Amino acid sequence: MPDEVTTDESLAPNPVIERPAPEAAKRAARQRPLHEAVVDRLRDMIIEGELRVGERLHEFNLAETLNVSRTPVREAVKLLATEGLVELLPGRGARVAALSAKTITDLLEVIGGIERHACELAAERMTARELAKLSRMHERMAGYHQAGNLHDYFKLNNEIHVAIVAAAKNATLATTHAALILKARRGRHAALASQARWAEAMAEHELLMKAFAERDGRKAGEIMLQHDLRTREVVQRILEASKP
Amino acid sequence: MPDEVTTDESLAPNPVIERPAPEAAKRAARQRPLHEAVVDRLRDMIIEGELRVGERLHEFNLAETLNVSRTPVREAVKLLATEGLVELLPGRGARVAALSAKTITDLLEVIGGIERHACELAAERMTARELAKLSRMHERMAGYHQAGNLHDYFKLNNEIHVAIVAAAKNATLATTHAALILKARRGRHAALASQARWAEAMAEHELLMKAFAERDGRKAGEIMLQHDLRTREVVQRILEASKP
DNA sequence: ATTTGATTTTTTGCATGCAAAATTGGCGGA
DNA sequence: TCCGCCAATTTTGCATGCAAAAAATCAAAT
């Protein structure tokens, strides 16, 4: 899913987790589980770099910062460990997991494989309606490209990748893909790579749509895989250049 | 990863989680985190069917049964939810997730895609040593097949699939694969399918090894994908037959 | 000055407490 | 008989308590 984009915008200066006052809870349709909110909050803090790589996750401090008790924090940390964002130190808490160049490129490689598979399946299973919608998204993206609107291009590009995976009509595939994309968000470098490959990537998407129109899954998959692997290579070069 | 086998053997009649007496803990090299033990215990209980599909996970009862407090049980349940084994009911606890035919076949489809990718990469990245080891495993498996030793055949077959993924030298790929395999363990149907396809599967493995010997990743991947998809089809037929 | 070891402090991991939400059961009405 | 409403009970979710393990601090000895 190259063409990664960082969907920040919300810089969240205040980490405290808002929750309806005890009495106001009645009005709120339903209260979101705290531990879930904490997971999201901590994930953002890690992805946005508020918590630095290797930094110990201090449950008491975090609980105080987020204005919750240690319990939901503990649950959240364990959940984030399954996502690979934090590393559990048995008996000594947890710390933000390192993200080596190898980890990132491995991630991008797997995402490429998944998206290839998604293309193959989607080409066969996509309804005419879905194909039409995808076409419209693609056209819109082409417009952003011509207009030099990088931000909206990135956003839509991500949506297209997700839409293709959804069109494969395989829930496990979609879940797996989503989880990997989430992790890949940590590599901001990917965004740079996309930028460098902007024109090229656009051309590849063009070919991809053509393959979908022909319902040629094999071809679509191949294009997607190459598309992803090229971005991966650029990312790899950037990473090697930054710290060799 | 078709040719699924259920690695029971340990029927665990007593669910209580053993732990060194408070004082004996000194002797034990290091105490395993309780929540981890609970995760494993509950996962087995679900996979082995001790907890039936749809059954509510009652944290107090489970805690009592496992001889721990609610806290590690709660953590474990949330962890199992990320594995897809249980379904969280916001505000109402959790229950054993349903495993529909679609879910199983989706799972097998994704595993097929992952293993194809693994074959492609492994063919390129595998060391001569690894290839030799894989060959020996394959020969041994052929022996079990000829001897009609289904149990050991299954076990070794699983190990071969895992070894191939490992040879792809991509940690994310391996982790993702392992997680999916774990979930697939719930479909005992797969074991039946393997049995039905025993001879055929063996022949496919033969071709696979030949492709690896030629370092033909494309071919190896294709063989693996077809291998997995055929098992998937048999599973699908079994499932449709059992409850149509 | 540096290192080692004992002591204090912090932090973790599990257990328990408590209020709010959800479920259950009973009762009255249709 | 069946449905719906209200009270009693259970269960969840979060907070807090507590003992053991880990880390930090300090002291003495090299």
Side-chain angles (χ1 to χ4, degrees), chain B residues 53-109:
Chain B
V53 165
E55 186 172 342
R56 272 285 284 288
L57 261 44
H58 201 290
E59 45 184 69
F60 184 82
N61 288 350
L62 286 177
E64 214 166 47
T65 308
L66 302 180
N67 200 33
V68 300
S69 82
R70 287 173 52 216
T71 307
V73 172
R74 285 178 55 75
E75 291 179 351
V77 167
K78 282 182 183 55
L79 258 9
L80 290 174
T82 73
E83 289 184 22
L85 287 182
V86 314
E87 191 182 353
L88 257 33
L89 311 173
R92 291 178 298 140
R95 70 176 159 208
V96 178
L99 194 61
S100 69
K102 177 73 161 66
T103 307
I104 295 176
T105 55
D106 275 4
L107 209 45
L108 294 178
E109 186 166 75

Side-chain angles (χ1 to χ4, degrees), chain B residues 27-201:
Chain B
R27 277 170 282 145
R30 195 197 290 143
Q31 177 65 357
R32 185 152 178 259
L34 251 198
H35 67 262
E36 219 176 273
V38 174
V39 167
D40 288 349
R41 198 81 207 69
L42 287 181
R43 183 169 31 230
D44 274 353
M45 289 175 79
I46 292 172
I47 290 174
E48 301 303 332
E50 282 177 66
L51 293 170
R52 277 189 303 268
V53 165
E55 186 172 342
R56 272 285 284 288
L57 261 44
H58 201 290
E59 45 184 69
F60 184 82
N61 288 350
L62 286 177
E64 214 166 47
T65 308
L66 302 180
N67 200 33
V68 300
S69 82
R70 287 173 52 216
T71 307
V73 172
R74 285 178 55 75
E75 291 179 351
V77 167
K78 282 182 183 55
L79 258 9
L80 290 174
T82 73
E83 289 184 22
L85 287 182
V86 314
E87 191 182 353
L88 257 33
L89 311 173
R92 291 178 298 140
R95 70 176 159 208
V96 178
L99 194 61
S100 69
K102 177 73 161 66
T103 307
I104 295 176
T105 55
D106 275 4
L107 209 45
L108 294 178
E109 186 166 75
V110 178
I111 290 173
I114 299 265
E115 293 193 347
R116 163 177 60 167
H117 200 184
C119 284
E120 293 170 355
L121 299 175
E124 290 179 7
R125 299 176 187 172
M126 196 165 12
T127 63
R129 195 174 193 75
E130 283 172 321
L131 181 54
K133 183 168 182 197
L134 207 57
S135 282
R136 284 198 301 278
M137 292 172 85
H138 175 75
E139 292 307 327
R140 201 143 53 87
M141 184 170 78
Y144 291 142
H145 174 235
Q146 289 219 320
N149 183 344
L150 193 61
H151 181 271
D152 287 331
Y153 167 86
F154 273 154
K155 209 169 146 219
L156 190 51
N157 179 68
N158 281 338
E159 285 170 26
I160 288 176
H161 280 257
V162 170
I164 290 171
V165 173
K169 310 236 165 48
N170 180 321
T172 300
L173 192 73
T175 305
T176 306
H177 181 254
L180 296 172
I181 291 290
L182 209 61
K183 278 177 82 170
R185 270 184 65 199
R186 284 184 78 189
R188 319 201 142 239
H189 322 278
L192 295 173
S194 303
Q195 209 159 348
R197 267 179 29 78
W198 200 5
E200 203 176 304

Side-chain angles (χ1 to χ4, degrees), chain A residues 165-207:
Chain A
V165 173
K169 309 231 163 51
N170 180 320
T172 300
L173 192 74
T175 306
T176 306
H177 182 253
L180 295 173
I181 292 290
L182 210 60
K183 278 178 83 171
R185 271 183 64 200
R186 283 184 80 189
R188 317 200 142 240
H189 323 277
L192 295 174
S194 303
Q195 209 161 349
R197 268 180 28 80
W198 200 5
E200 205 176 303
M202 193 62 227
E204 286 158 7
H205 265 268
E206 196 75 51
L207 288 175

